[in-house]
Amino acid sequence: MDTILKIDGVSKRFGGLMALADVSFEVKKGRILGLIGPNGAGKTTMFNCIAGIYKPTEGRIVFDKETGPVDVGGSRPEQMTQMGVARTFQNIRLFGSLPVLDNVRIGRHCRAAQGFWGAVLRTKGQKAEERMLVEQSMEYLDFVGLKNKALDLSSSLSYGDQRRLEIARALASQPKLLLLDEPAAGMNPQETASLVDLIHAIMRKDITVVLIEHDMKLVMSICEHLVVLDHGVKIAEGGPRDIRENPEVIEAYLGRGAAHA
Amino acid sequence: MTGNKTALKLLGLAALLAFPVLPFSSEYVMHVAVLIMVYAVLAMGLNVLPGFCNLLDLGYVGFYGIGAYTAGILALNHNVSFWLIVPGAIALGALCGMLRGAPTLRLSGDYFAIVTFGFTELVVLFLTNEIWLTRGPLGLPGIPPIALSLEFLGIDWRYDFLSEIPYYYLGLAMVGAVYVVMCRIEDSRLGRAWLAIKEDPLAAASCGINLMAYKTVAFAFSAGVGALAGCFMAQWSMFLAPDVFKFWESFLVLCMIVLGGLGNINGAIVGAVVLIALGEVLRVLLPKLGLPAETRFLVYGLIMILIMRFKPGGFFPTIAATSKKSRLILDLKARLQAERAG
Ligand SMILES: Nc1ncnc2c1ncn2[C@@H]1O[C@H](COP(=O)(O)OP(=O)(O)OP(=O)(O)O)[C@@H](O)[C@H]1O
Ligand SMILES: [Mg+2]
């Protein structure tokens, strides 16, 4: 099976803190990988390195572009988005004073082209593109079930809907790889259930997903493959069953001695 | 409902066009009206940075000065045609805007504010000290008024601006053009990218927006508009001095957009109307109270504080207001309503 993303010995240091220490794993195309670990394990830091927000202190991040695999470590966020890596944020970062639709239109930014002169002169091409942006954005909103709220202010949405909107905004950039950072956090059981359906629907669109999630039941039910981080170190990797029974993982989550209890 | 609104708009436009012939429109009233238009353009231009991109600009009138002196020097010493002065001044302003912003592109917004503050001082120092070019503190008197001519097309037509009235109409056209351009940009991919940067730069970058490129466009555009206002003003007032472009003037324009609502284009115009009118009132009132005219900046400061305390969004707090009334969005709204009903 093809590898879409290869993390190769990545370290990230913040002053004296090793947030990631020599982490390596591969993400297979078309599958869903779960990235788990206790608080402060370095999961979000890993996403930030992949998405171009942090430059890894060491190691390579190899992304499989159409033209072949390239080391993308140290690329800027907008370059990563352009290449086909989109992400959501653990602490929701929507454009709160803008309508829902505009959030998705902005998410689609890198798949459109009109600039200053197009806007000022309202050229034919510009008008056509604007029309298309609305249509396409509405399709993404429909996909996540927010079509009817398109013109509401995005900060007025419920917590669960805000998380869905973040997913729609990320999808609008037509990613090949989607990084979801705790999408179920703060959701009630019904919302979580429909999120699972949404993630399955995203997978059917041939988008590879990496999922950070604290809800173990959720992760174990939808991920075929898991990577476990603790204190910046990869402590285990494998299928849900292996991970659940791995003594090191149990120890990391429940504290020393728990594995033997 | 919509018919009423259209009628109201047409009435407003008619009033604006008929304004110079109304009985109370003395030379003084016309002068104030033109001054308002100059500041309306400045306020709309400044609004691009703090209003659309959340970049605090404390030195905006520097570009007003650059535009004004460019126009003044070209018209006075080189007899350059108005048709060339305008694009020249805008281009020079835009270039200076990019140069001013460039060192701050990789830094946070706070650094930008500091650089802009230094920039206005620099412009005033330049205008004061480069006597060979600007005549320094003596200023530039005797700038010729605007003359529109079609001689370059071989048509023998020339119109000299000899009273406030032609300036009024040209100013109106300028405000209208800048307003339309601002609205079109606000409701476009570019405008949305700016608003995304304003709301959350990190999320904007993650949406594929190149922060440096889009900020650079904003720097150039905002500065170009300031220079446009400057070149209109130079040939209207026919006299320039470095003092006109001091920091306090930038502060006044900033007050206008804070009052109107940061990021709202209509708000910028309303802010200009209110504060210029207030300034005229204060100019008469303050000396009567035995206070120097400069005390008016205390009043502006007070207004700024009151607005931030009681109405932090200004009087027109909506951002991306143009898009809400655009054809595309109105159609979408109708469609969604129909779907919900049916
Ligand atoms: N920009 C930063 N500067 C300094 N330290 C940071 C920075 N970002 C993260 N850290 C630190 O790196 C460590 C890993 O943080 P990270 O956010 O990646 O954890 P996480 O696995 O996502 O945890 P959680 O489950 O709580 O979200 C933490 O100790 C955190 O304090
Ligand atoms: Mg995290």
Side-chain angles (χ1 to χ4, degrees):
Chain A
M1 194 175 284
D2 290 347
T3 301
I4 187 166
L5 183 75
K6 187 168 172 207
I7 306 295
D8 186 7
V10 166
S11 300
K12 178 69 194 173
R13 180 191 287 280
F14 295 113
L17 178 86
M18 273 307 244
L20 291 173
D22 195 20
V23 177
S24 301
F25 61 89
E26 289 186 5
V27 182
K28 298 290 178 202
K29 199 170 272 176
R31 291 232 293 224
I32 175 162
L33 182 127
L35 189 57
I36 62 172
N39 289 112
K43 307 179 294 291
T44 300
T45 304
M46 179 54 84
F47 269 18
N48 283 334
C49 287
I50 300 170
I53 290 174
Y54 297 153
K55 186 175 174 13
T57 315
E58 255 173 89
R60 297 189 316 148
I61 294 175
V62 181
F63 180 66
D64 187 30
K65 292 213 297 184
E66 282 120 67
T67 48
V70 270
D71 184 359
V72 294
S75 301
R76 289 198 306 272
E78 72 271 12
Q79 292 172 323
M80 294 311 298
T81 310
Q82 180 77 38
M83 272 189 259
V85 179
R87 57 96 48 97
T88 65
F89 295 90
Q90 178 174 356
N91 45 345
I92 304 176
R93 300 183 84 127
L94 289 170
F95 307 118
S97 338
L98 296 177
V100 169
L101 175 72
D102 286 14
N103 274 269
V104 184
R105 281 201 278 182
I106 292 166
R108 198 141 181 83
H109 180 89
C110 63
R111 304 293 168 221
Q114 291 291 331
F116 181 84
W117 293 110
V120 172
L121 303 173
R122 283 282 147 106
T123 56
K124 255 204 184 113
Q126 196 263 357
K127 284 190 200 160
E129 187 183 277
E130 286 289 298
R131 215 171 310 121
M132 207 158 75
L133 278 176
V134 171
E135 289 312 313
Q136 292 167 336
S137 301
M138 287 309 290
E139 280 167 28
Y140 288 106
L141 283 174
D142 196 19
F143 182 73
V144 301
L146 288 174
K147 189 174 156 197
N148 279 319
K149 299 186 174 144
L151 298 177
D152 296 359
L153 208 59
S154 57
S155 56
S156 75
L157 294 183
S158 73
Y159 204 71
D161 283 348
Q162 292 197 13
R163 291 232 177 258
R164 285 174 165 270
L165 176 54
E166 268 219 341
I167 295 176
R169 183 178 72 181
L171 288 175
S173 69
Q174 279 177 316
K176 293 186 194 68
L177 177 67
L178 178 64
L179 311 172
L180 298 175
D181 198 344
E182 301 198 21
M187 284 190 173
N188 62 34
Q190 285 105 321
E191 285 174 329
T192 307
S194 69
L195 175 73
V196 172
D197 293 340
L198 179 61
I199 293 175
H200 284 304
I202 292 170
M203 303 287 300
R204 283 196 293 277
K205 286 184 162 218
D206 272 337
I207 296 171
T208 308
V209 176
V210 181
L211 174 71
I212 296 180
E213 191 46 68
H214 275 301
D215 183 340
M216 278 308 133
K217 240 175 68 198
L218 177 76
V219 181
M220 297 287 176
S221 68
I222 58 178
C223 299
E224 304 141 63
H225 195 80
L226 293 159
V227 168
V228 192
L229 294 180
D230 184 28
H231 290 108
V233 180
K234 185 176 91 173
I235 55 169
E237 177 169 5
R241 186 175 308 241
D242 305 336
I243 294 298
R244 213 170 320 168
E245 284 158 13
N246 185 312
E248 263 192 272
V249 175
I250 297 172
E251 205 171 283
Y253 269 95
L254 300 177
R256 203 153 293 280
H260 310 290
Chain B
M1 170 80 193
T2 39
N4 264 345
K5 261 192 186 154
T6 322
L8 214 63
K9 270 187 196 156
L10 285 176
L11 202 69
L13 190 65
L16 280 177
L17 288 175
F19 188 76
V21 298
L22 296 179
F24 59 84
S25 296
S26 62
E27 195 79 348
Y28 168 70
V29 170
M30 293 304 294
H31 182 85
V32 174
V34 176
L35 192 64
I36 284 176
M37 294 196 265
V38 171
Y39 275 88
V41 171
L42 284 176
M44 284 190 280
L46 171 62
N47 180 49
V48 171
L49 293 181
F52 290 162
C53 305
N54 194 25
L55 291 165
L56 181 58
D57 186 339
L58 296 171
Y60 187 60
V61 294
F63 302 116
Y64 184 44
I66 289 169
Y69 267 86
T70 307
I73 291 165
L74 290 180
L76 185 64
N77 300 343
H78 306 281
N79 201 19
V80 177
S81 140
F82 184 69
W83 304 121
L84 291 177
I85 287 178
V86 173
I90 292 176
L92 184 63
L95 182 70
C96 294
M98 286 198 273
L99 291 178
R100 183 186 74 164
T104 67
L105 277 174
R106 287 172 185 280
L107 306 172
S108 78
D110 304 337
Y111 291 93
F112 179 72
I114 296 168
V115 167
T116 59
F117 187 70
F119 167 77
T120 100
E121 293 303 308
L122 199 71
V123 170
V124 173
L125 279 176
F126 180 89
L127 296 179
T128 314
N129 292 319
E130 299 304 310
I131 295 174
W132 60 276
L133 186 66
T134 65
R135 293 185 15 114
L138 294 174
L140 281 185
I143 300 167
I146 295 176
L148 299 182
S149 99
L150 293 179
E151 273 145 30
F152 69 97
L153 288 176
I155 300 169
D156 190 18
W157 179 85
R158 184 185 163 93
Y159 182 81
D160 288 282
F161 282 34
L162 298 175
S163 72
E164 295 285 354
I165 293 176
Y167 284 104
Y168 177 87
Y169 287 112
L170 185 67
L172 208 56
M174 177 173 70
V175 171
V178 172
Y179 181 79
V180 169
V181 166
M182 287 289 168
C183 289
R184 286 182 168 193
I185 288 180
E186 185 189 42
D187 180 25
S188 76
R189 176 168 172 269
L190 171 62
R192 285 190 299 271
W194 284 343
L195 291 171
I197 294 173
K198 170 182 178 167
E199 292 276 300
D200 187 336
L202 196 123
S206 293
C207 285
I209 293 166
N210 184 332
L211 299 188
M212 293 204 264
Y214 278 81
K215 281 189 194 174
T216 303
V217 175
F219 294 151
F221 177 54
S222 172
V225 174
L228 169 69
C231 68
F232 178 91
M233 184 275 252
Q235 289 191 271
W236 170 57
S237 70
M238 298 191 270
F239 174 75
L240 293 176
D243 278 5
V244 181
F245 307 105
K246 287 214 158 137
F247 166 74
W248 290 108
E249 220 50 37
S250 296
F251 178 70
L252 172 60
V253 185
L254 200 59
C255 280
M256 290 172 181
I257 61 172
V258 170
L259 180 81
L262 278 180
N264 189 294
I265 302 167
N266 294 328
I269 295 180
V270 172
V273 174
V274 171
L275 287 191
I276 292 298
L278 180 71
E280 289 304 307
V281 172
L282 291 176
R283 225 158 49 101
V284 179
L285 206 64
L286 290 173
K288 282 194 182 149
L289 298 172
L291 296 166
E294 268 61 44
T295 332
R296 68 178 188 280
F297 285 106
L298 285 178
V299 179
Y300 299 148
L302 188 67
I303 291 176
M304 193 91 144
I305 291 168
L306 289 177
I307 290 282
M308 287 182 172
R309 171 66 185 77
F310 295 105
K311 227 167 167 17
F315 283 93
F316 297 81
T318 330
I319 66 167
T322 315
S323 158
K324 292 196 176 74
K325 287 186 212 126
S326 74
R327 194 63 287 144
L328 274 176
I329 298 302
L330 292 179
D331 286 351
L332 178 65
K333 200 176 199 166
R335 212 168 76 199
L336 289 176
Q337 259 160 12
E339 274 175 33
R340 222 169 296 164

